[in-house]
Amino acid sequence: MNQASKVALLCASALFFGQALQLAAAQEHGRPEPAREGRPAPGRPAVDAHGQVLDARYNHGRYYPPVGTVRAALPEGYRPYYRGGARFYFSGGIWYAPRGPGFVVVVPPPGLVISVLPPYYSTVWFGGVPYYYADNVYYTWQPDQNGYAVVDPPADADAPADAPSAPPDNSQQDLIIYPKNGQSKEQQAADQFECHNWAKGQTGFDPTQPGGGQPGGSAMSRSNYDRAMSACLQARGYQVN
């Protein structure tokens, strides 16, 4: 190879590697940012087509109308509640209060008790206590009132990455449930809640409480609870593994 050919080959190689480096830089620059705590995952909008905001805290992953949103009428299936002489309405995890001729989305006051949790909620644990979370509202089970009370956010609520989404006892495994009859998400949540209450009443074991709500916990009680829960769900048209 003569000198001129060597020079040409070196120039071509330099041009090739330069283009490769530019392409790699462009790909790196355009790479989507990884998801962060409390922020939507790449490709998932923070606001949907209806103006609802994504609640990504604790990987909750549901859309809700912002506080202050006004609507002319309440959604179907709402439930009325009263607290301190004020009226509130609850539907799908969203709280409303009367305003003029319509209703406005609000934050409910602590102490307000509901009988059934929202269809979609996230369970998080702080200090060994389970909290049930949806739309920036926290609930805890109140045995004396046989319901779930709205409570102030836990002291560590501003550090969601430190809040486990499962009970401290890692030996407790959740059942895997499949709807066999095309049940809606709302129906599945209602069936699971009612079967949970029935299984808890039959066995005295409550997996939402530390140690199952029993001194020292009991593997046998957990097994009995799982069997009761499975039987109830199977009778309602679910496959349970």
Side-chain angles (χ1 to χ4, degrees), residues 27-90:
Q27 290 175 338
E28 181 68 25
H29 180 72
R31 186 173 297 167
E33 182 181 3
R36 297 180 182 175
E37 184 69 38
R39 294 180 57 180
R44 189 164 193 187
V47 180
D48 68 6
H50 303 287
Q52 298 186 119
V53 178
L54 176 65
D55 184 353
R57 196 176 184 83
Y58 312 121
N59 296 316
H60 186 59
R62 304 294 303 177
Y63 287 92
Y64 299 98
V67 171
T69 300
V70 178
R71 59 182 300 167
L74 291 169
E76 294 183 3
Y78 71 86
R79 296 189 179 189
Y81 292 91
Y82 296 86
R83 179 70 176 171
R87 288 181 296 163
F88 299 91
Y89 304 93
F90 189 53

Side-chain angles (χ1 to χ4, degrees), residues 117 121-123 130-134 137-141 148 208-209:
L117 287 169
Y121 63 88
S122 299
T123 304
Y131 288 77
Y132 308 99
Y133 171 88
V137 179
Y138 295 82
Y139 307 85
T140 59
W141 172 249
Y148 298 88
T208 68
Q209 300 297 323

Side-chain angles (χ1 to χ4, degrees), residues 27 29 32 64 68 78 87 93 96 133 142 156 165 171 195 202:
Q27 290 175 338
H29 180 72
Y64 299 98
Y78 71 86
R87 288 181 296 163
Y96 303 88
Y133 171 88
Q142 303 295 320
D156 296 332
S165 57
S171 65
C195 284
Q202 293 292 311

